Amino acid sequence: MAAPMSEGFPASEPGAAPYGNFPNYSRFHPPEGRVSLLPGGLLRSLFPAAARPLLGLDVGCNSGELSVALYRHLLGLQESEGSLDQPAAGKELNLLCCDIDPVLIERAQRCSPFPASISFASLDIMDSGAREPFLSSYLGRFGRSAFDIIFCMSVTMWIHLNHGDSGLREFLSFLSSLCGYLLIEPQPWKCYRAAARRLRKLGRNDFDHFRSLEIKGDMAERITQILTKDCAMELVCCFGSTSWDRSLLLFKSNGSNHEGGESSEQEQ
């Protein structure tokens, strides 16, 4: 997750990212640490008979390095393959990537090797007045009402710290309502304490909700409980953990209304 860097924080400060908008995020959590956990041919196994292109949404994409790495991995593209291959790649998957920080989004747009099939947009995913018309407009271009798959990589903590327990529940409920599959990487509780410590070192107050959070402890388990008990999703697979101790969890919607609905019905 990210937010504008114009809140009085020097961009060079390591703790100056109260919404997760670290300007050099991929340097300390390289994309390979996630994509190497995902099996080849994942999209084919999840959507064997679905109409193409599949539609994906990456929430909290930062400056896009992980988004592009996921895209390459899911489509089996080599590092050297870029703009010349984008028409063929776009027939398989179109990926919309959003982040609240316009500076990071501008960087992602400038550096994207797949501008025709990966779209980057500045969007506060917690602003329902902004997200709903924007996402509906994007989906409408393809005659769809939901995404086939949503990626939410190390975003949940920032939603939780800045919007509280109710905000986290609302966020997960919204994502689950909008996709057939959800690939999520929750931050463990120790990351919450580290984020709060960074702010204090800068002489800032704690996150507004940090002291009052009741959803805490094993965050992968707590988020799994919310998604399975409250959001009509089922846990399909845990792909293991990164070297920095974050699990990659794949959930499937039990709802019948996704196209994500269209994809799910064809694969059953």
Side-chain angles (χ1 to χ4, degrees), residues 152-198:
C152 180
M153 313 297 278
S154 286
V155 173
T156 51
M157 178 182 75
W158 304 109
I159 298 291
H160 201 187
L161 285 171
N162 288 287
H163 297 275
D165 289 338
S166 61
L168 177 64
R169 291 183 182 277
E170 191 271 332
F171 174 67
L172 295 173
S173 176
F174 173 71
L175 293 189
S176 66
S177 73
L178 200 63
C179 66
Y181 286 90
L182 172 63
L183 182 67
I184 192 166
E185 180 195 44
Q187 291 103 321
W189 185 252
K190 65 182 180 182
C191 293
Y192 286 65
R193 294 195 298 264
R197 197 160 50 242
R198 285 194 300 267

Side-chain angles (χ1 to χ4, degrees), residues 3-268:
M5 291 186 278
S6 57
E7 302 191 25
F9 292 98
S12 59
E13 287 282 2
Y19 295 83
N21 53 317
F22 298 100
N24 298 302
Y25 182 79
S26 64
R27 292 185 188 174
F28 52 94
H29 288 325
E32 296 76 18
R34 279 81 168 239
V35 299
S36 64
L37 297 175
L38 300 176
L42 179 62
L43 291 184
R44 287 290 172 187
S45 66
L46 296 181
F47 307 101
R52 267 39 178 193
L54 298 172
L55 299 185
L57 172 67
D58 185 13
V59 178
C61 65
N62 197 269
S63 53
E65 288 89 350
L66 178 56
S67 308
V68 172
L70 278 169
Y71 190 84
R72 289 189 191 278
H73 182 78
L74 291 170
L75 296 183
L77 300 174
Q78 300 303 311
E79 187 67 31
S80 59
E81 295 179 275
S83 57
L84 293 178
D85 302 278
Q86 67 191 19
K91 292 178 182 177
E92 285 292 308
L93 174 67
N94 278 329
L95 183 61
L96 173 63
C97 309
C98 64
D99 198 282
I100 200 173
D101 190 326
V103 176
L104 294 174
I105 287 297
E106 192 278 331
R107 189 197 308 172
Q109 292 170 333
R110 187 173 64 248
C111 299
S112 175
F114 301 100
S117 48
I118 304 181
S119 303
F120 291 98
S122 177
L123 177 69
D124 181 354
I125 199 68
M126 295 302 286
D127 181 351
S128 60
R131 76 187 179 201
E132 288 167 12
F134 178 80
L135 295 176
S136 294
S137 174
Y138 180 86
L139 289 165
R141 287 163 46 190
F142 301 92
R144 303 286 299 279
S145 59
F147 292 91
D148 294 289
I149 187 166
I150 290 179
F151 305 98
C152 180
M153 313 297 278
S154 286
V155 173
T156 51
M157 178 182 75
W158 304 109
I159 298 291
H160 201 187
L161 285 171
N162 288 287
H163 297 275
D165 289 338
S166 61
L168 177 64
R169 291 183 182 277
E170 191 271 332
F171 174 67
L172 295 173
S173 176
F174 173 71
L175 293 189
S176 66
S177 73
L178 200 63
C179 66
Y181 286 90
L182 172 63
L183 182 67
I184 192 166
E185 180 195 44
Q187 291 103 321
W189 185 252
K190 65 182 180 182
C191 293
Y192 286 65
R193 294 195 298 264
R197 197 160 50 242
R198 285 194 300 267
L199 279 193
R200 287 195 296 270
K201 284 184 177 179
L202 291 173
R204 306 287 296 190
N205 295 325
D206 274 336
F207 292 92
D208 289 342
H209 298 277
F210 179 59
R211 301 289 179 183
S212 62
L213 296 178
E214 295 183 4
I215 300 173
K216 58 176 65 176
D218 186 337
M219 292 308 299
E221 176 60 28
R222 297 301 302 272
I223 284 173
T224 296
Q225 290 174 354
I226 294 170
L227 287 170
T228 55
K229 294 181 178 179
D230 303 334
C231 301
M233 300 201 92
E234 62 179 280
L235 178 62
V236 175
C237 181
C238 175
F239 292 114
S241 298
T242 65
S243 60
W244 53 94
D245 192 30
R246 298 186 194 177
S247 300
L248 279 184
L249 307 172
L250 180 67
F251 292 86
K252 179 181 179 181
S253 172
N254 288 324
S256 59
N257 254 350
H258 301 293
E259 291 162 74
E262 185 175 312
S263 302
S264 298
E265 287 163 15
Q266 292 186 45
E267 69 181 10
Q268 290 173 356

